[in-house]
PDB file of all heavy atoms in Angstrom:
ATOM      1  N   VAL A   1     -44.754 -43.471  -2.775  1.00 98.00           N
ATOM      2  CA  VAL A   1     -43.913 -42.284  -2.381  1.00 98.00           C
ATOM      3  C   VAL A   1     -42.501 -42.564  -2.863  1.00 98.00           C
ATOM      4  O   VAL A   1     -42.032 -43.513  -2.449  1.00 98.00           O
ATOM      5  CB  VAL A   1     -44.037 -42.106  -0.965  1.00 98.00           C
ATOM      6  CG1 VAL A   1     -43.176 -40.629  -0.587  1.00 98.00           C
ATOM      7  CG2 VAL A   1     -45.414 -41.832  -0.460  1.00 98.00           C
ATOM      8  N   ILE A   2     -41.964 -41.547  -3.693  1.00 99.00           N
ATOM      9  CA  ILE A   2     -40.759 -41.886  -4.318  1.00 99.00           C
ATOM     10  C   ILE A   2     -39.674 -40.731  -4.014  1.00 99.00           C
ATOM     11  O   ILE A   2     -40.124 -39.476  -3.990  1.00 99.00           O
ATOM     12  CB  ILE A   2     -40.928 -41.899  -5.870  1.00 99.00           C
ATOM     13  CG1 ILE A   2     -41.890 -43.064  -6.238  1.00 99.00           C
ATOM     14  CG2 ILE A   2     -39.542 -42.092  -6.657  1.00 99.00           C
ATOM     15  CD1 ILE A   2     -42.553 -42.930  -7.606  1.00 99.00           C
ATOM     16  N   HIS A   3     -38.422 -41.210  -3.851  1.00 98.00           N
ATOM     17  CA  HIS A   3     -37.331 -40.145  -3.694  1.00 98.00           C
ATOM     18  C   HIS A   3     -36.249 -40.414  -4.605  1.00 98.00           C
ATOM     19  O   HIS A   3     -35.893 -41.673  -4.696  1.00 98.00           O
ATOM     20  CB  HIS A   3     -36.998 -40.103  -2.155  1.00 98.00           C
ATOM     21  CG  HIS A   3     -35.761 -39.119  -1.983  1.00 98.00           C
ATOM     22  ND1 HIS A   3     -35.916 -37.740  -2.041  1.00 98.00           N
ATOM     23  CD2 HIS A   3     -34.536 -39.317  -1.572  1.00 98.00           C
ATOM     24  CE1 HIS A   3     -34.838 -37.141  -1.825  1.00 98.00           C
ATOM     25  NE2 HIS A   3     -33.846 -38.095  -1.559  1.00 98.00           N
ATOM     26  N   VAL A   4     -35.577 -39.482  -5.180  1.00 98.00           N
ATOM     27  CA  VAL A   4     -34.521 -39.599  -6.167  1.00 98.00           C
ATOM     28  C   VAL A   4     -33.281 -38.708  -5.670  1.00 98.00           C
ATOM     29  O   VAL A   4     -33.544 -37.592  -5.366  1.00 98.00           O
ATOM     30  CB  VAL A   4     -34.917 -39.207  -7.518  1.00 98.00           C
ATOM     31  CG1 VAL A   4     -33.748 -39.355  -8.480  1.00 98.00           C
ATOM     32  CG2 VAL A   4     -36.146 -39.994  -7.905  1.00 98.00           C
ATOM     33  N   GLU A   5     -32.188 -39.394  -5.647  1.00 98.00           N
ATOM     34  CA  GLU A   5     -30.995 -38.630  -5.343  1.00 98.00           C
ATOM     35  C   GLU A   5     -29.736 -39.377  -6.049  1.00 98.00           C
ATOM     36  O   GLU A   5     -29.779 -40.420  -6.432  1.00 98.00           O
ATOM     37  CB  GLU A   5     -30.651 -38.592  -3.781  1.00 98.00           C
ATOM     38  CG  GLU A   5     -30.554 -39.899  -3.125  1.00 98.00           C
ATOM     39  CD  GLU A   5     -30.401 -39.819  -1.577  1.00 98.00           C
ATOM     40  OE1 GLU A   5     -31.340 -39.509  -0.937  1.00 98.00           O
ATOM     41  OE2 GLU A   5     -29.285 -39.901  -1.049  1.00 98.00           O
ATOM     42  N   LYS A   6     -28.712 -38.534  -6.155  1.00 98.00           N
ATOM     43  CA  LYS A   6     -27.621 -38.945  -6.916  1.00 98.00           C
ATOM     44  C   LYS A   6     -26.305 -39.024  -6.034  1.00 98.00           C
ATOM     45  O   LYS A   6     -25.949 -38.170  -5.159  1.00 98.00           O
ATOM     46  CB  LYS A   6     -27.333 -37.864  -8.091  1.00 98.00           C
ATOM     47  CG  LYS A   6     -26.297 -38.292  -9.095  1.00 98.00           C
ATOM     48  CD  LYS A   6     -26.995 -39.235 -10.165  1.00 98.00           C
ATOM     49  CE  LYS A   6     -25.963 -39.735 -11.162  1.00 98.00           C
ATOM     50  NZ  LYS A   6     -25.511 -38.630 -12.117  1.00 98.00           N
ATOM     51  N   HIS A   7     -25.490 -40.086  -6.281  1.00 97.00           N
ATOM     52  CA  HIS A   7     -24.282 -40.261  -5.588  1.00 97.00           C
ATOM     53  C   HIS A   7     -23.213 -40.712  -6.598  1.00 97.00           C
ATOM     54  O   HIS A   7     -23.336 -41.782  -7.184  1.00 97.00           O
ATOM     55  CB  HIS A   7     -24.418 -41.372  -4.476  1.00 97.00           C
ATOM     56  CG  HIS A   7     -25.308 -41.045  -3.391  1.00 97.00           C
ATOM     57  ND1 HIS A   7     -24.906 -40.261  -2.226  1.00 97.00           N
ATOM     58  CD2 HIS A   7     -26.735 -41.083  -3.263  1.00 97.00           C
ATOM     59  CE1 HIS A   7     -25.929 -40.076  -1.448  1.00 97.00           C
ATOM     60  NE2 HIS A   7     -27.036 -40.631  -2.080  1.00 97.00           N
ATOM     61  N   ASP A   8     -22.320 -39.805  -6.911  1.00 96.00           N
ATOM     62  CA  ASP A   8     -21.370 -39.990  -7.934  1.00 96.00           C
ATOM     63  C   ASP A   8     -22.184 -40.250  -9.327  1.00 96.00           C
ATOM     64  O   ASP A   8     -22.958 -39.531  -9.688  1.00 96.00           O
ATOM     65  CB  ASP A   8     -20.365 -41.011  -7.664  1.00 96.00           C
ATOM     66  CG  ASP A   8     -19.484 -40.610  -6.467  1.00 96.00           C
ATOM     67  OD1 ASP A   8     -19.152 -39.386  -6.409  1.00 96.00           O
ATOM     68  OD2 ASP A   8     -19.062 -41.551  -5.680  1.00 96.00           O
ATOM     69  N   ASN A   9     -21.907 -41.402  -9.880  1.00 96.00           N
ATOM     70  CA  ASN A   9     -22.691 -41.791 -11.092  1.00 96.00           C
ATOM     71  C   ASN A   9     -23.759 -42.657 -10.878  1.00 96.00           C
ATOM     72  O   ASN A   9     -24.494 -43.222 -11.763  1.00 96.00           O
ATOM     73  CB  ASN A   9     -21.659 -42.547 -12.073  1.00 96.00           C
ATOM     74  CG  ASN A   9     -21.362 -43.866 -11.644  1.00 96.00           C
ATOM     75  OD1 ASN A   9     -21.070 -44.048 -10.373  1.00 96.00           O
ATOM     76  ND2 ASN A   9     -21.255 -44.857 -12.666  1.00 96.00           N
ATOM     77  N   LYS A  10     -24.194 -42.932  -9.496  1.00 97.00           N
ATOM     78  CA  LYS A  10     -25.238 -43.784  -9.190  1.00 97.00           C
ATOM     79  C   LYS A  10     -26.410 -42.943  -8.829  1.00 97.00           C
ATOM     80  O   LYS A  10     -26.470 -41.938  -7.995  1.00 97.00           O
ATOM     81  CB  LYS A  10     -24.906 -44.569  -7.937  1.00 97.00           C
ATOM     82  CG  LYS A  10     -23.720 -45.580  -8.131  1.00 97.00           C
ATOM     83  CD  LYS A  10     -24.170 -46.669  -9.040  1.00 97.00           C
ATOM     84  CE  LYS A  10     -23.011 -47.774  -9.163  1.00 97.00           C
ATOM     85  NZ  LYS A  10     -23.302 -48.777 -10.161  1.00 97.00           N
ATOM     86  N   LEU A  11     -27.648 -43.372  -9.492  1.00 98.00           N
ATOM     87  CA  LEU A  11     -28.860 -42.824  -9.053  1.00 98.00           C
ATOM     88  C   LEU A  11     -29.536 -43.670  -8.033  1.00 98.00           C
ATOM     89  O   LEU A  11     -29.575 -44.956  -8.310  1.00 98.00           O
ATOM     90  CB  LEU A  11     -29.776 -42.749 -10.303  1.00 98.00           C
ATOM     91  CG  LEU A  11     -31.074 -41.844 -10.122  1.00 98.00           C
ATOM     92  CD1 LEU A  11     -30.689 -40.375  -9.919  1.00 98.00           C
ATOM     93  CD2 LEU A  11     -32.066 -42.140 -11.331  1.00 98.00           C
ATOM     94  N   LEU A  12     -29.882 -43.147  -6.902  1.00 98.00           N
ATOM     95  CA  LEU A  12     -30.549 -43.894  -5.840  1.00 98.00           C
ATOM     96  C   LEU A  12     -32.078 -43.520  -5.823  1.00 98.00           C
ATOM     97  O   LEU A  12     -32.440 -42.300  -5.753  1.00 98.00           O
ATOM     98  CB  LEU A  12     -30.037 -43.662  -4.449  1.00 98.00           C
ATOM     99  CG  LEU A  12     -30.687 -44.108  -3.147  1.00 98.00           C
ATOM    100  CD1 LEU A  12     -30.756 -45.699  -3.252  1.00 98.00           C
ATOM    101  CD2 LEU A  12     -30.042 -43.605  -1.963  1.00 98.00           C
ATOM    102  N   VAL A  13     -32.885 -44.521  -6.097  1.00 98.00           N
ATOM    103  CA  VAL A  13     -34.368 -44.325  -6.060  1.00 98.00           C
ATOM    104  C   VAL A  13     -35.067 -45.199  -5.001  1.00 98.00           C
ATOM    105  O   VAL A  13     -34.754 -46.394  -4.891  1.00 98.00           O
ATOM    106  CB  VAL A  13     -35.005 -44.672  -7.388  1.00 98.00           C
ATOM    107  CG1 VAL A  13     -36.480 -44.372  -7.432  1.00 98.00           C
ATOM    108  CG2 VAL A  13     -34.427 -44.031  -8.549  1.00 98.00           C
ATOM    109  N   THR A  14     -35.628 -44.454  -4.118  1.00 98.00           N
ATOM    110  CA  THR A  14     -36.320 -45.242  -3.006  1.00 98.00           C
ATOM    111  C   THR A  14     -37.857 -45.083  -3.193  1.00 98.00           C
ATOM    112  O   THR A  14     -38.285 -43.980  -3.621  1.00 98.00           O
ATOM    113  CB  THR A  14     -36.005 -44.805  -1.636  1.00 98.00           C
ATOM    114  OG1 THR A  14     -36.011 -43.324  -1.594  1.00 98.00           O
ATOM    115  CG2 THR A  14     -34.620 -45.297  -1.258  1.00 98.00           C
ATOM    116  N   CYS A  15     -38.591 -46.136  -2.988  1.00 98.00           N
ATOM    117  CA  CYS A  15     -40.118 -46.155  -3.252  1.00 98.00           C
ATOM    118  C   CYS A  15     -40.824 -46.934  -2.165  1.00 98.00           C
ATOM    119  O   CYS A  15     -40.378 -47.971  -1.739  1.00 98.00           O
ATOM    120  CB  CYS A  15     -40.365 -46.841  -4.601  1.00 98.00           C
ATOM    121  SG  CYS A  15     -42.105 -46.814  -4.937  1.00 98.00           S
ATOM    122  N   ALA A  16     -41.769 -46.258  -1.463  1.00 98.00           N
ATOM    123  CA  ALA A  16     -42.540 -46.911  -0.473  1.00 98.00           C
ATOM    124  C   ALA A  16     -43.995 -47.028  -0.797  1.00 98.00           C
ATOM    125  O   ALA A  16     -44.540 -46.093  -1.468  1.00 98.00           O
ATOM    126  CB  ALA A  16     -42.510 -46.179   0.844  1.00 98.00           C
ATOM    127  N   GLU A  17     -44.679 -48.193  -0.598  1.00 98.00           N
ATOM    128  CA  GLU A  17     -46.051 -48.360  -0.933  1.00 98.00           C
ATOM    129  C   GLU A  17     -46.604 -49.276   0.125  1.00 98.00           C
ATOM    130  O   GLU A  17     -45.848 -49.992   0.812  1.00 98.00           O
ATOM    131  CB  GLU A  17     -46.251 -48.866  -2.240  1.00 98.00           C
ATOM    132  CG  GLU A  17     -45.792 -50.308  -2.448  1.00 98.00           C
ATOM    133  CD  GLU A  17     -46.070 -51.073  -3.732  1.00 98.00           C
ATOM    134  OE1 GLU A  17     -46.307 -50.177  -4.789  1.00 98.00           O
ATOM    135  OE2 GLU A  17     -46.233 -52.213  -3.758  1.00 98.00           O
ATOM    136  N   ASP A  18     -47.956 -49.390   0.247  1.00 97.00           N
ATOM    137  CA  ASP A  18     -48.674 -50.372   0.936  1.00 97.00           C
ATOM    138  C   ASP A  18     -48.890 -51.487  -0.029  1.00 97.00           C
ATOM    139  O   ASP A  18     -49.627 -51.349  -1.039  1.00 97.00           O
ATOM    140  CB  ASP A  18     -50.035 -49.770   1.440  1.00 97.00           C
ATOM    141  CG  ASP A  18     -50.691 -50.779   2.414  1.00 97.00           C
ATOM    142  OD1 ASP A  18     -50.719 -51.910   2.090  1.00 97.00           O
ATOM    143  OD2 ASP A  18     -51.111 -50.348   3.518  1.00 97.00           O
ATOM    144  N   ASN A  19     -48.476 -52.630   0.348  1.00 97.00           N
ATOM    145  CA  ASN A  19     -48.500 -53.900  -0.523  1.00 97.00           C
ATOM    146  C   ASN A  19     -49.962 -54.312  -0.730  1.00 97.00           C
ATOM    147  O   ASN A  19     -50.248 -54.875  -1.719  1.00 97.00           O
ATOM    148  CB  ASN A  19     -47.646 -55.012  -0.029  1.00 97.00           C
ATOM    149  CG  ASN A  19     -48.088 -55.465   1.383  1.00 97.00           C
ATOM    150  OD1 ASN A  19     -47.892 -54.737   2.327  1.00 97.00           O
ATOM    151  ND2 ASN A  19     -48.675 -56.634   1.488  1.00 97.00           N
ATOM    152  N   LEU A  20     -50.854 -54.044   0.111  1.00 97.00           N
ATOM    153  CA  LEU A  20     -52.223 -54.337   0.029  1.00 97.00           C
ATOM    154  C   LEU A  20     -53.038 -53.344  -0.638  1.00 97.00           C
ATOM    155  O   LEU A  20     -54.182 -53.573  -1.054  1.00 97.00           O
ATOM    156  CB  LEU A  20     -52.878 -54.777   1.427  1.00 97.00           C
ATOM    157  CG  LEU A  20     -52.324 -56.000   2.128  1.00 97.00           C
ATOM    158  CD1 LEU A  20     -52.981 -56.156   3.452  1.00 97.00           C
ATOM    159  CD2 LEU A  20     -52.544 -57.200   1.275  1.00 97.00           C
ATOM    160  N   LEU A  21     -52.548 -52.133  -0.767  1.00 98.00           N
ATOM    161  CA  LEU A  21     -53.370 -51.038  -1.427  1.00 98.00           C
ATOM    162  C   LEU A  21     -52.727 -50.753  -2.776  1.00 98.00           C
ATOM    163  O   LEU A  21     -53.187 -51.373  -3.762  1.00 98.00           O
ATOM    164  CB  LEU A  21     -53.411 -49.911  -0.521  1.00 98.00           C
ATOM    165  CG  LEU A  21     -54.356 -50.063   0.727  1.00 98.00           C
ATOM    166  CD1 LEU A  21     -54.178 -48.997   1.801  1.00 98.00           C
ATOM    167  CD2 LEU A  21     -55.815 -50.087   0.264  1.00 98.00           C
ATOM    168  N   LYS A  22     -51.886 -49.913  -2.843  1.00 98.00           N
ATOM    169  CA  LYS A  22     -51.230 -49.590  -4.215  1.00 98.00           C
ATOM    170  C   LYS A  22     -50.652 -50.895  -4.857  1.00 98.00           C
ATOM    171  O   LYS A  22     -50.634 -50.994  -5.953  1.00 98.00           O
ATOM    172  CB  LYS A  22     -50.071 -48.488  -4.043  1.00 98.00           C
ATOM    173  CG  LYS A  22     -49.503 -48.034  -5.358  1.00 98.00           C
ATOM    174  CD  LYS A  22     -50.532 -47.472  -6.416  1.00 98.00           C
ATOM    175  CE  LYS A  22     -49.995 -47.083  -7.686  1.00 98.00           C
ATOM    176  NZ  LYS A  22     -50.894 -46.889  -8.801  1.00 98.00           N
ATOM    177  N   GLY A  23     -50.213 -51.783  -3.992  1.00 98.00           N
ATOM    178  CA  GLY A  23     -49.638 -53.124  -4.352  1.00 98.00           C
ATOM    179  C   GLY A  23     -50.584 -54.068  -4.742  1.00 98.00           C
ATOM    180  O   GLY A  23     -50.334 -55.229  -5.243  1.00 98.00           O
ATOM    181  N   ALA A  24     -51.942 -53.820  -4.566  1.00 98.00           N
ATOM    182  CA  ALA A  24     -53.077 -54.846  -4.704  1.00 98.00           C
ATOM    183  C   ALA A  24     -54.377 -54.169  -4.865  1.00 98.00           C
ATOM    184  O   ALA A  24     -54.803 -53.587  -5.928  1.00 98.00           O
ATOM    185  CB  ALA A  24     -52.928 -55.903  -3.676  1.00 98.00           C
ATOM    186  N   SER A  25     -55.217 -54.144  -3.759  1.00 98.00           N
ATOM    187  CA  SER A  25     -56.565 -53.816  -3.749  1.00 98.00           C
ATOM    188  C   SER A  25     -56.819 -52.348  -4.109  1.00 98.00           C
ATOM    189  O   SER A  25     -57.796 -51.956  -4.817  1.00 98.00           O
ATOM    190  CB  SER A  25     -57.197 -54.158  -2.509  1.00 98.00           C
ATOM    191  OG  SER A  25     -57.030 -55.585  -2.197  1.00 98.00           O
ATOM    192  N   GLY A  26     -55.981 -51.508  -3.586  1.00 98.00           N
ATOM    193  CA  GLY A  26     -56.169 -50.015  -3.836  1.00 98.00           C
ATOM    194  C   GLY A  26     -55.972 -49.705  -5.424  1.00 98.00           C
ATOM    195  O   GLY A  26     -56.753 -48.918  -5.956  1.00 98.00           O
TER     196      GLY A  26
END
């Protein structure tokens, strides 16, 4: 799950995942 937002010239990207699923077995 990803979210993108802008602060001045900085792009802030946050990403959440399950390390055992999308990060491994899933």
Side-chain angles (χ1 to χ4, degrees):
V1 184
I2 302 162
H3 177 66
V4 180
E5 60 186 75
K6 192 80 183 290
H7 296 269
D8 297 325
N9 69 322
K10 297 289 186 185
L11 193 68
L12 171 63
V13 184
T14 48
C15 179
E17 70 171 27
D18 189 312
N19 59 292
L20 292 178
L21 287 168
K22 184 56 176 167
S25 303

